[in-house]
Amino acid sequence: MMRRQLLIFTLLISLSFSLQSCLVSRCERPQIVGYIYDAESRLPLANCTVGETLSENDGHFTLNEKRYHQFTFFGFEAPSLVVNETIKKEGYESQNIQFMQPFGGGMKKGALHTTDTLYLKKIPIK
């Protein structure tokens, strides 16, 4: 009886250690930084809504990295990373920051994506 309890205890400890190693941190969105300008005047645009943040007076914006935890099994590949963040400003046509990385979910903490300078066009007055 004592030997059976010891075996069960050993199995439970081994199982608990193996489950802990299956919890991994995945990248939902890397940190995204960039600048937004007016397409016509080439001046920076402040207070543009970019995802959940606003651009600064010099047009610069920073979207913080987002991560989540996932249970997985050893040897499984990281999921694809698809990013689609909308840029909005009243009086301007909206634009999206879009990119995809096939194994991007496996990016290490501190992942960074720098966008090209983005130019928003004014909505024509009819």
Side-chain angles (χ1 to χ4, degrees), residues 5-19:
Q5 288 177 337
L6 183 59
L7 179 62
I8 290 172
F9 178 76
T10 305
L11 285 173
L12 287 174
I13 294 295
S14 298
L15 181 62
S16 68
F17 280 118
S18 68
L19 287 178

Side-chain angles (χ1 to χ4, degrees), residues 13-103:
I13 294 295
S14 298
L15 181 62
S16 68
F17 280 118
S18 68
L19 287 178
Q20 287 178 357
S21 66
C22 294
L23 182 64
V24 294
S25 175
R26 297 282 191 216
C27 182
E28 183 177 336
R29 177 187 74 198
Q31 179 181 21
I32 303 172
V33 296
Y35 287 88
I36 304 171
Y37 286 84
D38 179 287
E40 192 175 308
S41 71
R42 302 288 193 206
L43 294 174
L45 288 176
N47 298 317
C48 295
T49 303
V50 184
E52 66 275 359
T53 193
L54 293 174
S55 62
E56 300 168 7
N57 289 336
D58 63 354
H60 183 264
F61 69 90
T62 300
L63 280 171
N64 293 328
E65 178 181 27
K66 285 186 179 179
R67 300 195 73 80
Y68 65 96
H69 291 87
Q70 179 184 43
F71 280 102
T72 188
F73 295 101
F74 181 76
F76 278 44
E77 292 180 352
S80 296
L81 175 68
V82 178
V83 174
N84 184 18
E85 296 293 341
T86 303
I87 303 167
K88 295 179 185 175
K89 180 157 178 81
E90 191 173 326
Y92 288 83
E93 296 176 4
S94 64
Q95 199 177 111
N96 288 352
I97 299 171
Q98 296 178 324
F99 61 91
M100 183 209 165
Q101 294 179 338
F103 305 106

